[in-house]
Amino acid sequence: MSSSALAQPVLQDPDLALAASSADAQLSGQKTAISIRNLHKNFGDVEVLKGIDIDVAEGQVVSILGSSGSGKSTLLRCVNFLESPTMGEITIAGETVRTRPGKNGDLEAADIGQLNRLRSNVGMVFQSFNLWSHKTVLENVMEAPVYVQKRPVAECHDEACAYLEKVGIYDKRFSYPSRLSGGQQQRAAIARSLAMHPKVMLFDEPTSALDPELVGEVLRVMRALADEGRTMLVVTHEMGFAREVSNRVIFLEQGWIEEDGAPETVFGASRSARFRQFIAAQPH
Amino acid sequence: MSHASFWELMNFGPDGWGWSMMRAAGVTVMVALAGFILGGFIGSFGAWAKIAGNRPVRIAADAYTTILRGIPDLLVIFLFYFGGSLALSAIYRAFGGEGFVDFPGFAAGAMAIGLTSGAQHTEVFRGAYYAIHDGELEAAKAAGMTRMMMLRRIIMPLLLRHALPGLGNIWQVVLKESALVSVTGLIELARQAQIGAGSTRQPFYFFMAAALLFLMITFVSNRVFRFSEAHFSRGVRGAR
């Protein structure tokens, strides 16, 4: 543990080092990409997240599983404050999001400039793709690098083309999203988030809105990203992806972490009856 | 002179009314455009107030749209014209002057049109904002865009896509409403036709000419709106 602490000069808080999870220890010596501390989220009287602690090491691919209503999407959306946590602390690449109490009892970002800077370090891929419909695929991919990160246009253009090539829709670059299939749109959305050079990528059920025959093309792209050593947090129902691609599986149940470990361990010999029940209910 | 033909009256020579009618048509377009643009600004604020404002702001915006959509436009023009004249006269008297000061008809008309069409603009913009797919805004937030950047790069173009058909309707209404501004003595198309009709005793020809000019303005503005709609609908399935 001490060697891991040395490797993380930014994280000097002893609590954080102590709280590092077991799965994190497998990858000791690597920096923490995201750290979620004591995360709570209420919607009105409903407690959706009841105190979540997760440390994600750089290069880790984490699958977040759970039945619907278990809070897994909310957890992901709290990481980049698309959803305001009710309590807790989010640290992205060593920098903790500064918060203050907001009007409705949830936290809000105290420094919107900091939040926007951190958000531009976190790529997000949505279930419903959310490409900007008035921009072509290429414009979608170039938008944030050019206007948010203010990098040179020529450089962004070449990079955007390279990412579109990589996800296999370079020939669709001048099309508007409405002309693309769901799988193509999702791959464009992945290219869009890659173009910002994110330190972490969040995937919110990236294949759930796709026709079954289109799921594979998106999963292939995600597998390639995982093989590159990118840090990924993936909320998914794809058991194959969780088992084979990710190197850590977290099972959320009623706002708590019920299981957290390497896929072999979790899928092989879970002590949680609830998890075994969940797995048995999955279509094969 | 008693039975001059249509084209004898409407020629562009020294005795013809052609130029006067054209100039009046220009005034009509200008007063309608000024009112429409003013209404656009008012409508943007109104929509913002209704969407993002706190309770008092929302109530004020609701009161504005309810009142302005409920009062006949002619009354609003009179209120502006006579209210403005009263105010100007009062100021004039305060500085030692005497008598009645006329409020400029163009300004009264443009402000009245702006205020009444602003209520329609508010509703059109509000509806258009709610038609924007939430996810596209979330994607902009997640990309780290500031609110201004989001407004300029994402919200405005998407909002115009949904607002343009409604804006086209407002423009048609505003254009016709501008004829009411003639009550202030502003020489726009309707007023000019009335003058010509009175002095030549050929009312039918003059009102016919005015109607044709209104139709021409409508035709041109329709083309402009259709072109803009095509531009802002890019990326919409089925749009060309």
Side-chain angles (χ1 to χ4, degrees), chain A residues 5-20:
Chain A
L6 279 175
Q8 317 172 1
V10 259
L11 288 180
Q12 281 156 352
D13 190 338
D15 286 348
L16 297 192
L18 279 175

Side-chain angles (χ1 to χ4, degrees), chain B residues 66-84:
Chain B
T66 310
I67 292 171
L68 265 298
R69 290 204 294 187
I71 300 180
D73 301 339
L74 187 61
L75 286 185
V76 178
I77 293 171
F78 275 134
L79 286 173
F80 261 93
Y81 179 62
F82 289 112

Side-chain angles (χ1 to χ4, degrees), chain A residues 172-193:
Chain A
K172 296 280 183 193
R173 65 195 179 286
F174 297 129
S175 301
Y176 286 99
S178 58
R179 301 265 161 201
L180 270 54
S181 75
Q184 290 169 331
Q185 287 190 55
Q186 194 58 297
R187 287 184 284 151
I190 292 174
R192 173 174 72 175
S193 75

Side-chain angles (χ1 to χ4, degrees), chain A residues 242-256:
Chain A
R243 204 188 284 261
E244 291 151 32
V245 182
S246 57
N247 42 37
R248 178 174 172 192
V249 172
I250 290 174
F251 176 64
L252 232 55
E253 174 66 17
Q254 296 187 341
W256 296 101

